[in-house]
Coordinates of all heavy atoms in Angstrom, one line a residue:
M205 N 78.3 54.5 127.0 CA 78.2 53.4 126.1 C 79.3 52.4 126.5 O 80.4 52.8 126.7 CB 78.4 53.8 124.6 CG 78.4 52.7 123.6 SD 78.7 53.2 121.9 CE 77.2 54.0 121.5
E206 N 78.9 51.1 126.5 CA 79.9 50.1 126.8 C 80.9 49.9 125.6 O 80.5 50.1 124.4 CB 79.2 48.7 127.0 CG 78.3 48.7 128.2 CD 78.9 48.0 129.3 OE1 79.9 47.3 129.1 OE2 78.4 48.1 130.4
Y207 N 82.1 49.6 125.9 CA 83.1 49.5 124.8 C 82.7 48.4 123.8 O 82.9 48.6 122.6 CB 84.5 49.2 125.5 CG 85.6 49.2 124.5 CD1 86.0 50.3 123.8 CD2 86.3 48.0 124.3 CE1 87.0 50.3 122.9 CE2 87.3 48.0 123.4 CZ 87.7 49.1 122.7 OH 88.7 49.1 121.8
T208 N 82.2 47.3 124.4 CA 81.8 46.2 123.5 C 80.7 46.6 122.5 O 80.6 46.2 121.4 CB 81.5 44.9 124.3 OG1 80.5 45.3 125.2 CG2 82.7 44.3 125.0
T209 N 79.8 47.4 123.0 CA 78.7 47.9 122.2 C 79.2 48.8 121.1 O 78.8 48.7 119.9 CB 77.7 48.7 123.0 OG1 77.2 47.8 124.1 CG2 76.5 49.2 122.2
L210 N 80.2 49.6 121.5 CA 80.8 50.5 120.5 C 81.5 49.7 119.4 O 81.3 50.0 118.2 CB 81.8 51.4 121.2 CG 82.7 52.3 120.3 CD1 81.8 53.4 119.7 CD2 83.8 53.0 121.1
L211 N 82.3 48.7 119.8 CA 82.9 47.8 118.8 C 82.0 47.1 117.9 O 82.2 46.9 116.7 CB 83.9 46.9 119.5 CG 85.1 47.5 120.2 CD1 85.9 46.4 120.9 CD2 86.0 48.2 119.1
A212 N 80.9 46.6 118.5 CA 79.9 45.9 117.7 C 79.2 46.7 116.7 O 78.7 46.2 115.7 CB 78.8 45.3 118.7
G213 N 79.1 48.0 116.9 CA 78.5 48.9 116.0 C 79.4 49.4 114.9 O 79.0 50.2 114.0
R214 N 80.7 49.0 114.9 CA 81.6 49.5 113.9 C 81.2 48.9 112.6 O 80.7 47.9 112.5 CB 83.0 48.9 114.4 CG 84.1 49.1 113.4 CD 85.2 48.1 113.8 NE 86.1 47.8 112.7 CZ 85.9 47.2 111.6 NH1 84.7 46.9 111.3 NH2 86.8 46.9 110.7
R215 N 81.6 49.7 111.6 CA 81.3 49.2 110.2 C 82.4 49.6 109.3 O 83.1 50.6 109.5 CB 80.0 49.7 109.7 CG 80.0 51.2 109.6 CD 78.6 51.7 109.1 NE 78.8 53.1 108.7 CZ 78.0 53.8 108.0 NH1 76.9 53.2 107.6 NH2 78.2 55.0 107.7
S216 N 82.5 48.9 108.2 CA 83.5 49.2 107.2 C 82.8 49.4 105.9 O 82.1 48.5 105.3 CB 84.5 48.0 107.0 OG 85.2 47.8 108.2
T217 N 82.8 50.6 105.4 CA 82.1 51.0 104.2 C 82.9 50.5 103.0 O 84.1 50.7 102.9 CB 81.9 52.5 104.1 OG1 81.2 52.9 105.3 CG2 81.1 53.0 102.9
R218 N 82.2 50.0 102.0 CA 82.8 49.4 100.8 C 82.2 50.1 99.6 O 82.7 49.8 98.5 CB 82.6 47.9 100.7 CG 83.3 47.2 101.9 CD 84.8 47.2 101.7 NE 85.5 46.4 102.6 CZ 86.2 46.8 103.7 NH1 86.2 48.0 104.0 NH2 86.8 45.9 104.4
R219 N 81.2 50.9 99.7 CA 80.6 51.6 98.5 C 80.5 53.1 98.9 O 80.0 53.4 100.0 CB 79.2 51.0 98.3 CG 79.2 49.6 97.9 CD 78.9 49.5 96.4 NE 78.8 48.1 96.0 CZ 79.6 47.5 95.1 NH1 80.4 48.2 94.5 NH2 79.4 46.2 94.9
F220 N 80.9 53.9 97.9 CA 80.9 55.3 98.2 C 80.1 56.0 97.0 O 80.2 55.6 95.9 CB 82.3 55.9 98.3 CG 83.1 55.3 99.4 CD1 83.9 54.2 99.2 CD2 83.0 55.8 100.7 CE1 84.6 53.6 100.3 CE2 83.7 55.3 101.7 CZ 84.5 54.2 101.5
D221 N 79.5 57.1 97.3 CA 78.9 58.0 96.3 C 79.9 58.9 95.8 O 80.4 59.8 96.4 CB 77.7 58.8 97.0 CG 77.0 59.7 96.0 OD1 77.5 59.8 94.8 OD2 76.0 60.2 96.4
T222 N 80.4 58.5 94.6 CA 81.5 59.3 94.0 C 81.2 60.7 93.5 O 82.0 61.4 93.1 CB 82.1 58.5 92.8 OG1 81.1 58.3 91.8 CG2 82.7 57.2 93.3
S223 N 79.9 61.0 93.6 CA 79.5 62.4 93.2 C 79.6 63.4 94.4 O 79.4 64.6 94.2 CB 78.1 62.4 92.6 OG 77.1 62.1 93.6
R224 N 79.8 62.8 95.6 CA 79.9 63.7 96.8 C 81.3 63.8 97.3 O 82.1 62.9 97.1 CB 79.0 63.1 97.9 CG 77.6 63.0 97.5 CD 76.7 62.4 98.5 NE 76.8 63.1 99.8 CZ 76.4 62.6 100.9 NH1 75.8 61.4 101.0 NH2 76.5 63.3 102.0
Q225 N 81.6 65.0 97.9 CA 82.9 65.2 98.5 C 82.7 65.4 100.0 O 81.6 65.8 100.5 CB 83.5 66.5 98.0 CG 84.0 66.3 96.6 CD 84.8 67.6 96.2 OE1 84.5 68.7 96.6 NE2 85.7 67.4 95.3
V226 N 83.7 65.0 100.8 CA 83.7 65.2 102.2 C 84.0 66.7 102.5 O 85.1 67.2 102.0 CB 84.7 64.3 103.0 CG1 84.8 64.6 104.4 CG2 84.4 62.9 102.7
P227 N 83.1 67.4 103.1 CA 83.4 68.9 103.4 C 84.7 69.0 104.2 O 85.0 68.2 105.1 CB 82.2 69.3 104.1 CG 81.1 68.3 103.9 CD 81.8 67.0 103.7
D228 N 85.5 70.0 103.9 CA 86.7 70.3 104.6 C 86.5 70.4 106.1 O 87.3 69.9 106.9 CB 87.4 71.5 104.1 CG 88.0 71.3 102.7 OD1 88.2 70.1 102.3 OD2 88.2 72.3 102.0
E229 N 85.4 71.0 106.5 CA 85.1 71.2 108.0 C 84.9 69.9 108.7 O 85.4 69.7 109.8 CB 83.8 72.1 108.2 CG 83.9 73.4 107.5 CD 83.6 73.4 106.0 OE1 82.7 72.6 105.5 OE2 84.2 74.2 105.3
L230 N 84.3 68.9 108.0 CA 84.1 67.6 108.6 C 85.4 66.8 108.7 O 85.7 66.2 109.7 CB 83.0 66.8 107.8 CG 82.8 65.4 108.2 CD1 82.3 65.3 109.7 CD2 81.8 64.7 107.3
L231 N 86.2 66.9 107.6 CA 87.5 66.3 107.6 C 88.3 66.8 108.8 O 89.0 66.1 109.5 CB 88.2 66.5 106.3 CG 89.5 65.8 106.1 CD1 89.5 64.3 106.4 CD2 90.1 66.1 104.8
E232 N 88.3 68.1 109.0 CA 89.1 68.7 110.1 C 88.6 68.2 111.4 O 89.4 67.9 112.3 CB 89.0 70.2 110.1 CG 89.7 70.9 108.9 CD 89.5 72.4 108.8 OE1 89.0 73.0 109.8 OE2 89.8 72.9 107.7
R233 N 87.3 68.0 111.6 CA 86.8 67.5 112.9 C 87.2 66.0 113.1 O 87.6 65.6 114.2 CB 85.2 67.5 112.9 CG 84.7 69.0 113.1 CD 83.2 69.0 113.1 NE 82.6 68.0 114.0 CZ 81.4 67.5 113.7 NH1 80.6 67.9 112.7 NH2 80.9 66.6 114.6
V234 N 87.2 65.2 112.0 CA 87.6 63.8 112.1 C 89.1 63.8 112.5 O 89.5 63.0 113.3 CB 87.4 63.1 110.8 CG1 88.0 61.7 110.8 CG2 85.9 63.0 110.6
L235 N 89.9 64.6 111.9 CA 91.4 64.6 112.1 C 91.7 65.1 113.5 O 92.7 64.7 114.1 CB 92.1 65.4 111.0 CG 92.0 64.7 109.6 CD1 92.7 65.7 108.6 CD2 92.7 63.4 109.6
A236 N 90.9 66.0 114.0 CA 91.1 66.6 115.3 C 90.7 65.7 116.5 O 91.2 65.8 117.6 CB 90.4 68.0 115.5
A237 N 89.8 64.8 116.2 CA 89.2 63.9 117.3 C 90.2 63.2 118.1 O 90.2 63.1 119.3 CB 88.1 63.0 116.7
P238 N 91.2 62.5 117.5 CA 92.2 61.8 118.3 C 93.0 62.7 119.2 O 93.5 62.2 120.2 CB 93.1 61.2 117.2 CG 92.4 61.2 115.9 CD 91.4 62.3 116.0
L239 N 93.1 64.0 118.9 CA 93.9 64.8 119.7 C 93.2 65.1 121.1 O 93.8 65.6 122.0 CB 94.2 66.2 119.0 CG 95.0 66.0 117.7 CD1 95.1 67.4 117.1 CD2 96.3 65.4 118.0
A240 N 91.9 64.9 121.1 CA 91.1 65.1 122.3 C 91.2 63.9 123.3 O 90.8 64.0 124.4 CB 89.6 65.3 122.0
M241 N 91.8 62.8 122.8 CA 91.9 61.6 123.7 C 93.1 61.7 124.6 O 94.1 62.4 124.3 CB 92.1 60.3 122.8 CG 90.9 60.0 121.9 SD 91.1 58.5 121.0 CE 92.7 58.6 120.2
P242 N 93.0 61.1 125.8 CA 94.2 61.2 126.7 C 95.3 60.3 126.1 O 95.1 59.3 125.5 CB 93.6 60.5 128.0 CG 92.4 59.8 127.6 CD 91.9 60.4 126.3
H243 N 96.5 60.8 126.3 CA 97.7 60.2 125.8 C 98.7 60.2 127.0 O 98.9 61.2 127.6 CB 98.3 60.9 124.6 CG 97.5 60.8 123.4 ND1 96.4 61.6 123.2 CD2 97.6 60.0 122.3 CE1 95.8 61.3 122.0 NE2 96.5 60.4 121.5
A244 N 99.4 59.1 127.2 CA 100.4 59.0 128.2 C 101.6 60.0 127.9 O 102.1 60.0 126.8 CB 101.0 57.6 128.3
G245 N 101.8 60.9 128.8 CA 102.9 61.9 128.6 C 102.6 62.9 127.5 O 103.5 63.5 127.0
N246 N 101.3 63.0 127.1 CA 100.9 63.9 126.0 C 101.7 63.6 124.7 O 102.1 64.5 124.0 CB 101.1 65.3 126.4 CG 100.1 66.2 125.7 OD1 99.1 65.7 125.2 ND2 100.4 67.5 125.6
T247 N 102.0 62.3 124.5 CA 102.7 61.9 123.2 C 101.7 61.5 122.2 O 100.6 60.9 122.5 CB 103.7 60.8 123.5 OG1 102.9 59.7 124.0 CG2 104.7 61.2 124.5
Y248 N 102.0 61.7 121.0 CA 101.1 61.4 119.9 C 102.0 60.6 118.9 O 102.6 61.2 118.0 CB 100.5 62.6 119.2 CG 99.7 63.4 120.2 CD1 100.3 64.5 120.8 CD2 98.4 63.1 120.4 CE1 99.5 65.3 121.7 CE2 97.6 63.9 121.3 CZ 98.2 65.0 121.9 OH 97.5 65.7 122.8
D249 N 102.1 59.3 119.1 CA 103.0 58.5 118.3 C 102.3 57.9 117.1 O 102.1 56.7 117.0 CB 103.7 57.4 119.2 CG 104.8 56.8 118.4 OD1 105.4 57.4 117.5 OD2 105.2 55.7 118.8
W250 N 101.8 58.7 116.2 CA 101.2 58.2 115.0 C 101.4 59.2 113.9 O 101.6 60.4 114.2 CB 99.7 57.9 115.2 CG 98.9 59.0 115.8 CD1 98.7 59.2 117.2 CD2 98.3 60.1 115.2 NE1 97.9 60.3 117.4 CE2 97.7 60.9 116.2 CE3 98.2 60.5 113.9 CZ2 97.0 62.1 115.9 CZ3 97.5 61.7 113.6 CH2 96.9 62.5 114.6
R251 N 101.5 58.7 112.8 CA 101.6 59.6 111.6 C 100.7 59.0 110.5 O 100.4 57.9 110.4 CB 103.1 59.5 111.0 CG 104.1 60.1 112.0 CD 105.5 59.9 111.4 NE 106.5 60.3 112.4 CZ 107.1 59.5 113.2 NH1 106.8 58.2 113.2 NH2 107.9 59.9 114.1
G252 N 100.2 59.9 109.8 CA 99.3 59.5 108.7 C 99.3 60.5 107.6 O 99.8 61.6 107.7
I253 N 98.7 60.1 106.5 CA 98.5 61.0 105.4 C 97.0 61.0 104.9 O 96.3 60.0 105.1 CB 99.4 60.7 104.2 CG1 99.1 59.2 103.7 CG2 100.9 60.8 104.5 CD1 99.8 58.9 102.4
V254 N 96.6 62.2 104.5 CA 95.2 62.3 104.0 C 95.3 62.4 102.4 O 96.0 63.2 101.9 CB 94.6 63.6 104.5 CG1 93.2 63.8 104.0 CG2 94.6 63.6 106.0
L255 N 94.6 61.5 101.8 CA 94.6 61.4 100.4 C 93.2 61.8 99.9 O 92.2 61.1 100.2 CB 94.9 60.0 99.9 CG 96.3 59.5 100.3 CD1 96.4 58.0 99.9 CD2 97.4 60.2 99.7
Q256 N 93.0 62.9 99.3 CA 91.7 63.4 98.8 C 91.6 63.1 97.3 O 92.6 63.3 96.5 CB 91.5 64.8 99.1 CG 91.3 65.1 100.6 CD 91.0 66.5 100.9 OE1 91.9 67.3 100.9 NE2 89.8 66.8 101.2
R257 N 90.5 62.6 96.8 CA 90.3 62.3 95.4 C 90.7 63.5 94.5 O 91.4 63.4 93.5 CB 88.9 61.9 95.1 CG 88.7 61.4 93.7 CD 87.3 61.0 93.3 NE 86.5 60.3 94.3 CZ 85.4 60.7 94.8 NH1 84.8 61.8 94.4 NH2 84.7 60.0 95.8
R258 N 90.3 64.7 94.9 CA 90.5 65.9 94.1 C 92.0 66.2 93.9 O 92.3 66.9 93.0 CB 89.7 67.1 94.7 CG 90.3 67.5 96.0 CD 89.5 68.7 96.5 NE 90.0 69.2 97.8 CZ 89.3 69.6 98.8 NH1 88.0 69.5 98.7 NH2 89.9 70.0 99.9
D259 N 92.8 65.7 94.9 CA 94.2 66.0 94.8 C 95.1 64.9 94.3 O 96.3 65.0 94.4 CB 94.7 66.5 96.2 CG 94.1 67.7 96.7 OD1 93.7 68.6 95.9 OD2 93.9 67.9 97.9
R260 N 94.5 63.8 93.8 CA 95.3 62.7 93.4 C 96.2 63.0 92.2 O 95.7 63.5 91.2 CB 94.4 61.5 93.0 CG 93.8 60.9 94.2 CD 93.0 59.7 93.9 NE 92.3 59.2 95.1 CZ 91.2 58.4 95.0 NH1 90.7 58.0 93.9 NH2 90.6 58.1 96.1
D261 N 97.4 62.7 92.4 CA 98.4 62.9 91.3 C 98.3 61.6 90.4 O 98.6 60.5 90.8 CB 99.8 62.9 91.9 CG 100.9 63.1 90.9 OD1 100.7 62.7 89.7 OD2 102.0 63.7 91.2
P262 N 97.9 61.8 89.1 CA 97.7 60.7 88.2 C 98.9 59.9 88.0 O 98.9 58.7 87.7 CB 97.1 61.3 86.9 CG 97.4 62.8 87.0 CD 97.6 63.1 88.5
D263 N 100.1 60.5 88.2 CA 101.4 59.7 88.0 C 101.7 58.9 89.2 O 102.3 57.8 89.1 CB 102.5 60.7 87.7 CG 102.3 61.4 86.4 OD1 101.7 60.9 85.4 OD2 102.8 62.6 86.3
R264 N 101.3 59.3 90.4 CA 101.6 58.6 91.6 C 100.5 57.7 92.1 O 100.7 56.8 92.8 CB 102.0 59.6 92.7 CG 103.3 60.3 92.5 CD 103.6 61.2 93.6 NE 104.9 61.8 93.3 CZ 105.5 62.7 94.2 NH1 104.9 62.9 95.3 NH2 106.6 63.2 93.9
W265 N 99.2 58.0 91.7 CA 98.1 57.2 92.2 C 98.2 55.7 92.0 O 97.9 54.9 92.8 CB 96.8 57.8 91.7 CG 95.6 56.9 92.2 CD1 94.9 56.1 91.4 CD2 95.2 56.8 93.5 NE1 93.9 55.5 92.2 CE2 94.1 55.8 93.5 CE3 95.6 57.3 94.7 CZ2 93.4 55.5 94.6 CZ3 94.9 56.9 95.9 CH2 93.8 56.0 95.8
P266 N 98.7 55.3 90.8 CA 98.8 53.8 90.6 C 99.7 53.1 91.7 O 99.3 52.0 92.1 CB 99.4 53.7 89.2 CG 99.0 54.9 88.5 CD 99.0 56.0 89.6
A267 N 100.7 53.7 92.1 CA 101.6 53.1 93.1 C 100.9 53.1 94.5 O 101.0 52.1 95.2 CB 102.9 53.9 93.2
V268 N 100.1 54.2 94.8 CA 99.4 54.2 96.0 C 98.3 53.2 96.0 O 98.1 52.4 97.0 CB 98.8 55.7 96.3 CG1 97.8 55.7 97.4 CG2 99.9 56.7 96.4
F269 N 97.6 53.1 94.9 CA 96.5 52.1 94.8 C 97.0 50.7 94.9 O 96.4 49.9 95.6 CB 95.8 52.3 93.4 CG 94.6 51.4 93.2 CD1 93.5 51.5 94.0 CD2 94.6 50.5 92.1 CE1 92.4 50.7 93.8 CE2 93.5 49.7 91.9 CZ 92.4 49.8 92.7
S270 N 98.2 50.4 94.4 CA 98.8 49.1 94.5 C 99.2 48.9 95.9 O 98.9 47.7 96.4 CB 100.1 49.1 93.6 OG 100.7 47.8 93.8
A271 N 99.7 49.9 96.6 CA 100.1 49.7 98.0 C 98.9 49.4 98.9 O 99.0 48.8 100.0 CB 100.9 50.9 98.5
L272 N 97.7 49.9 98.5 CA 96.5 49.7 99.2 C 95.7 48.4 98.7 O 94.5 48.3 98.9 CB 95.6 50.9 99.2 CG 96.2 52.2 99.8 CD1 95.4 53.4 99.5 CD2 96.4 52.0 101.3
L273 N 96.5 47.5 98.1 CA 96.0 46.2 97.7 C 95.0 46.3 96.6 O 94.2 45.3 96.4 CB 95.5 45.4 98.9 CG 96.5 45.3 100.1 CD1 95.9 44.5 101.2 CD2 97.8 44.6 99.6
E274 N 95.0 47.4 95.8 CA 94.1 47.5 94.7 C 92.6 47.2 95.0 O 92.0 46.6 94.2 CB 94.6 46.7 93.5 CG 96.0 47.2 93.1 CD 96.6 46.5 91.9 OE1 95.8 45.7 91.2 OE2 97.7 46.7 91.5
Q275 N 92.2 47.6 96.1 CA 90.8 47.3 96.5 C 89.9 48.4 95.8 O 90.2 49.6 96.0 CB 90.7 47.4 98.0 CG 91.5 46.3 98.7 CD 91.5 46.5 100.2 OE1 90.6 46.0 100.9 NE2 92.6 47.1 100.7
S276 N 88.9 48.0 95.2 CA 88.1 48.9 94.3 C 87.5 50.0 95.1 O 87.4 51.2 94.6 CB 87.0 48.1 93.6 OG 86.1 47.5 94.5
Y277 N 87.1 49.8 96.3 CA 86.4 50.8 97.1 C 87.4 52.0 97.5 O 87.0 53.1 97.7 CB 85.8 50.3 98.4 CG 86.7 49.7 99.4 CD1 87.3 50.5 100.4 CD2 87.0 48.3 99.4 CE1 88.1 49.9 101.3 CE2 87.9 47.8 100.3 CZ 88.4 48.6 101.3 OH 89.3 48.0 102.2
V278 N 88.7 51.6 97.5 CA 89.7 52.7 97.8 C 89.7 53.7 96.7 O 89.8 54.9 97.0 CB 91.1 52.0 97.9 CG1 92.2 53.0 97.9 CG2 91.2 51.2 99.1
E279 N 89.5 53.4 95.4 CA 89.4 54.3 94.4 C 88.2 55.2 94.4 O 88.1 56.3 94.0 CB 89.5 53.6 93.0 CG 90.9 53.4 92.6 CD 91.0 53.1 91.1 OE1 90.3 52.3 90.6 OE2 91.9 53.8 90.5
E280 N 87.1 54.6 95.0 CA 85.8 55.3 95.0 C 85.8 56.4 96.2 O 85.1 57.4 96.1 CB 84.7 54.4 95.3 CG 84.4 53.4 94.1 CD 83.4 52.4 94.5 OE1 82.8 52.4 95.6 OE2 83.1 51.5 93.6
A281 N 86.5 56.1 97.2 CA 86.5 57.0 98.4 C 86.9 58.4 98.1 O 87.9 58.6 97.4 CB 87.3 56.4 99.5
D282 N 86.2 59.4 98.6 CA 86.6 60.8 98.4 C 87.9 61.1 99.2 O 88.7 61.8 98.8 CB 85.5 61.7 98.8 CG 85.9 63.2 98.5 OD1 86.3 63.5 97.4 OD2 85.7 64.0 99.4
V283 N 88.0 60.6 100.4 CA 89.1 60.8 101.3 C 89.6 59.5 101.9 O 88.8 58.7 102.3 CB 88.7 61.8 102.5 CG1 89.9 61.9 103.4 CG2 88.2 63.1 102.0
L284 N 90.9 59.3 101.9 CA 91.5 58.2 102.6 C 92.4 58.7 103.6 O 93.2 59.6 103.3 CB 92.3 57.3 101.6 CG 91.5 56.7 100.5 CD1 92.5 56.1 99.4 CD2 90.6 55.6 101.0
I285 N 92.4 58.2 104.8 CA 93.3 58.6 105.9 C 94.1 57.3 106.1 O 93.6 56.3 106.6 CB 92.6 59.1 107.1 CG1 91.7 60.3 106.8 CG2 93.6 59.4 108.2 CD1 90.8 60.7 107.9
V286 N 95.4 57.4 105.8 CA 96.2 56.2 105.9 C 97.3 56.4 107.0 O 98.0 57.4 107.0 CB 96.9 55.9 104.5 CG1 97.8 54.7 104.6 CG2 95.9 55.8 103.4
Y287 N 97.3 55.5 108.0 CA 98.3 55.5 109.1 C 99.3 54.5 108.9 O 99.1 53.5 108.3 CB 97.6 55.3 110.4 CG 96.7 56.5 110.8 CD1 95.3 56.4 110.5 CD2 97.2 57.6 111.4 CE1 94.5 57.5 110.9 CE2 96.4 58.6 111.7 CZ 95.0 58.6 111.5 OH 94.2 59.6 111.8

């Protein structure tokens, strides 16, 4: 696949089915995918956090939601991966 074709097919989801959860096995596959890419010197210079709806701390979530610009779809998503 051409790189430009790949980029043209990219999408940003803004509506989520809040009754569904992302299976842990799928989340593990998504998180493992970047490790399969070539990296100069085998370095991985990125850090991220995984925020799952089921684990949201009600005392801390308002600050996280604010930091994510209070976008409504952020609250609907079952999983957020923030880098």
Side-chain angles (χ1 to χ4, degrees):
M205 176 183 290
E206 296 258 347
Y207 185 65
T208 53
T209 304
L210 177 68
L211 290 177
R214 172 198 159 298
R215 64 183 194 162
S216 296
T217 303
R218 297 289 190 255
R219 297 255 184 235
F220 299 94
D221 181 348
T222 58
S223 68
R224 297 177 58 193
Q225 289 187 330
V226 175
D228 289 339
E229 303 80 35
L230 178 58
L231 182 57
E232 288 174 19
R233 286 179 48 209
V234 168
L235 293 172
L239 300 176
M241 296 185 308
H243 293 77
N246 208 23
T247 59
Y248 303 93
D249 191 20
W250 50 267
R251 294 177 189 93
I253 58 171
V254 177
L255 303 170
Q256 291 183 283
R257 186 183 320 123
R258 67 179 182 224
D259 296 329
R260 287 184 186 159
D261 180 335
D263 295 328
R264 292 184 178 181
W265 177 249
V268 173
F269 184 61
S270 177
L272 296 173
L273 305 177
E274 298 184 8
Q275 299 173 81
S276 61
Y277 64 90
V278 168
E279 276 199 306
E280 295 174 2
D282 183 51
V283 176
L284 299 169
I285 303 171
V286 183
Y287 290 96

